[in-house]
Amino acid sequence: MIESDRAERYRTRMQRKKEVIDEAIARANREQGLLLILTGNGKGKSSSAFGMLARALGHDMRVGVAQFIKGRSDTGEEAFFRKQNDVIWHVLGEGFTWDTQNLQRDTETAQRGWIIVQEMLCDPSINLIVLDELTYPLKFGWLDLTAVLNDLKNRPTMQHVVITGRGAPDALCEIADTVTEMTDVKHAFRNGVQAQKGIDL
Amino acid sequence: MIESDRAERYRTRMQRKKEVIDEAIARANREQGLLLILTGNGKGKSSSAFGMLARALGHDMRVGVAQFIKGRSDTGEEAFFRKQNDVIWHVLGEGFTWDTQNLQRDTETAQRGWIIVQEMLCDPSINLIVLDELTYPLKFGWLDLTAVLNDLKNRPTMQHVVITGRGAPDALCEIADTVTEMTDVKHAFRNGVQAQKGIDL
């Protein structure tokens, strides 16, 4: 009796929920290329962008990736996605700022990188572009924020762009369609665990 | 002159930063299988887990996926990863709770699913397991939380597990190594854009 009450309440609640959700889905009827920002200090920003690459490839879309900052080419993501069809992959960094310690070189590297990104942002045959760790060149002033925002706004209408990195500038979030702030509640690294293959690299 | 001052300050700051970071890296010298929780209302939880799958496959690891709740099999992630080697993929749901509206059926579906997960959690040849949307069966009480926690704790030492879904129970976060809370700052769906291939599915 109590069990059947519980089942009935569940059914009623879910029926009501379905109405609300069906209405929301009916309202969301527009298709467009999205600009997504994945920011904050938590683990999961770049991996989320790579997961969207996998989803897009599953729908036979063409994808492009530009990795700023990162200079290494031994990551799992690069090894894996370079083997796939329809993937353009650029490693545009020369290592972390604390490794190069050279403002002029970092600036020039980022600016050379942005020219390559501009080409992808003009190519409507690329359905999804990941700009991994783009927030740092913006934060350090290596790239002109206004110019970057303009290039993003003028991209093909149906092209999706995903930008990752800590401290996304407000002006970037303002023009974005979806913004997720990833909060670091707990991280294995702080507890003495080194970066793990398959998880962090 | 001012420009060279700026470059010099940058160099000194990055040199100092490098010392701090090198120390932190030296302290984090342990290798272990990690339990990661990706929770919160923001976009990016499942896609982040799928990005880690890609990373792991790039390191020639073997991976397993169990998707709770989701009943559909037309997602980009499934189409893509099923084509890869070394991937075990289980769709264990029968659709959202508001679609089934049947407590007993949802409970039985989840419990049948967990038996399949238990097999993966006993198999040290699977290096990374994604338990997509596991938080809902826990939240609704379809699975016994204590039993699930025990199975997770008793898994092979080097096996990584990534759990996604809103509202991860506190007891689950307590035994996890890394927890990220994804905050929904802005979402295109609320602005009238429907779920997009390559981004949301």
Side-chain angles (χ1 to χ4, degrees):
Chain A
M1 187 59 176
I2 289 171
E3 197 47 44
S4 73
D5 275 6
R6 196 175 154 231
E8 180 53 28
R9 273 202 309 275
Y10 183 86
R11 202 188 58 76
T12 314
R13 207 172 67 218
M14 289 310 154
Q15 214 168 26
R16 239 181 284 131
K17 187 161 184 175
K18 185 171 168 55
E19 285 163 22
V20 173
I21 286 171
D22 284 349
E23 268 177 40
I25 289 173
R27 270 195 308 273
N29 58 2
R30 219 164 63 241
E31 298 259 7
Q32 69 173 67
L34 298 176
L35 176 61
L36 295 99
I37 313 293
L38 306 169
T39 192
N41 295 347
K43 194 264 177 301
K45 300 180 289 295
S46 296
S47 46
S48 183
F50 300 141
M52 290 185 241
L53 284 186
R55 278 187 167 140
L57 291 170
H59 291 291
D60 299 317
M61 294 161 85
R62 242 183 117 218
V63 302
V65 178
Q67 293 195 285
F68 285 85
I69 310 297
K70 199 160 285 178
R72 63 194 295 175
S73 264
D74 58 349
T75 59
E77 62 264 23
E78 188 179 350
F80 179 72
F81 283 112
R82 275 206 194 272
K83 276 190 292 190
Q84 313 296 326
N85 294 325
D86 297 319
V87 178
I88 303 162
W89 196 282
H90 297 286
V91 176
L92 300 175
E94 297 197 326
F96 295 111
T97 49
W98 52 88
D99 288 322
T100 62
Q101 302 177 12
N102 186 323
L103 179 60
Q104 197 189 334
R105 204 175 106 194
D106 287 344
T107 305
E108 285 166 6
T109 305
Q111 291 182 352
R112 267 198 315 275
W114 190 252
I115 291 168
I116 293 168
V117 171
Q118 281 175 319
E119 282 171 32
M120 296 199 286
L121 288 171
C122 288
D123 182 350
S125 80
I126 306 179
N127 306 109
L128 168 63
I129 300 175
V130 170
L131 303 177
D132 192 29
E133 305 194 320
L134 176 65
T135 58
Y136 306 101
L138 294 173
K139 183 177 146 190
F140 284 108
W142 305 336
L143 296 174
D144 180 62
L145 180 59
T146 312
V148 165
L149 295 179
N150 275 333
D151 290 338
L152 290 170
K153 283 185 211 159
N154 293 326
R155 73 189 195 280
T157 324
M158 290 308 297
Q159 190 179 64
H160 301 300
V161 174
V162 183
I163 295 173
T164 76
R166 297 180 181 207
D170 290 344
L172 182 64
C173 293
E174 270 161 37
I175 68 158
D177 301 289
T178 294
V179 179
T180 303
E181 169 95 21
M182 309 222 177
T183 306
D184 176 359
V185 178
K186 202 192 241 189
H187 200 301
F189 180 74
R190 281 201 305 281
N191 197 24
V193 182
Q194 60 184 262
Q196 295 290 294
K197 284 180 187 174
I199 301 293
D200 304 299
L201 46 102
Chain B
M1 187 62 177
I2 287 168
E3 198 45 47
S4 73
D5 274 6
R6 195 174 154 234
E8 180 53 28
R9 274 201 310 274
Y10 182 85
R11 200 187 60 76
T12 314
R13 206 171 69 219
M14 290 309 154
Q15 214 168 26
R16 239 181 283 131
K17 187 161 183 177
K18 184 171 169 53
E19 285 162 24
V20 174
I21 287 172
D22 284 349
E23 269 178 39
I25 291 173
R27 269 196 309 273
N29 57 3
R30 219 165 61 241
E31 300 259 7
Q32 69 172 67
L34 297 176
L35 177 61
L36 295 98
I37 313 294
L38 305 170
T39 191
N41 296 347
K43 192 261 177 304
K45 300 181 289 295
S46 296
S47 46
S48 183
F50 301 141
M52 290 185 242
L53 284 186
R55 278 189 167 138
L57 292 170
H59 291 292
D60 300 316
M61 294 160 85
R62 244 184 115 217
V63 303
V65 178
Q67 293 195 282
F68 286 85
I69 310 298
K70 198 161 287 178
R72 65 195 292 174
S73 266
D74 58 349
T75 59
E77 63 262 23
E78 188 179 349
F80 179 72
F81 283 112
R82 274 206 195 271
K83 277 191 290 191
Q84 313 296 326
N85 294 324
D86 297 318
V87 177
I88 304 161
W89 196 283
H90 297 286
V91 176
L92 300 176
E94 296 197 327
F96 296 110
T97 49
W98 52 89
D99 288 322
T100 62
Q101 302 177 12
N102 187 323
L103 179 60
Q104 197 189 334
R105 203 175 106 194
D106 286 343
T107 304
E108 286 166 4
T109 305
Q111 290 181 353
R112 267 200 312 276
W114 190 252
I115 291 167
I116 293 169
V117 171
Q118 282 176 317
E119 282 172 33
M120 296 200 286
L121 287 172
C122 288
D123 182 350
S125 80
I126 306 179
N127 306 109
L128 168 64
I129 301 175
V130 170
L131 303 176
D132 192 29
E133 304 193 322
L134 176 66
T135 57
Y136 306 101
L138 294 174
K139 184 177 147 190
F140 284 108
W142 304 337
L143 296 175
D144 180 62
L145 180 59
T146 311
V148 166
L149 294 179
N150 275 333
D151 291 338
L152 290 170
K153 284 185 211 159
N154 293 326
R155 75 189 192 280
T157 323
M158 291 308 297
Q159 191 179 64
H160 301 300
V161 175
V162 182
I163 295 173
T164 76
R166 296 181 181 207
D170 290 343
L172 182 63
C173 293
E174 269 161 37
I175 69 158
D177 301 288
T178 295
V179 179
T180 303
E181 169 95 20
M182 309 220 178
T183 306
D184 177 359
V185 178
K186 202 192 240 189
H187 201 301
F189 180 74
R190 282 200 305 279
N191 197 25
V193 182
Q194 61 185 261
Q196 294 292 293
K197 284 182 188 174
I199 301 293
D200 304 300
L201 46 102

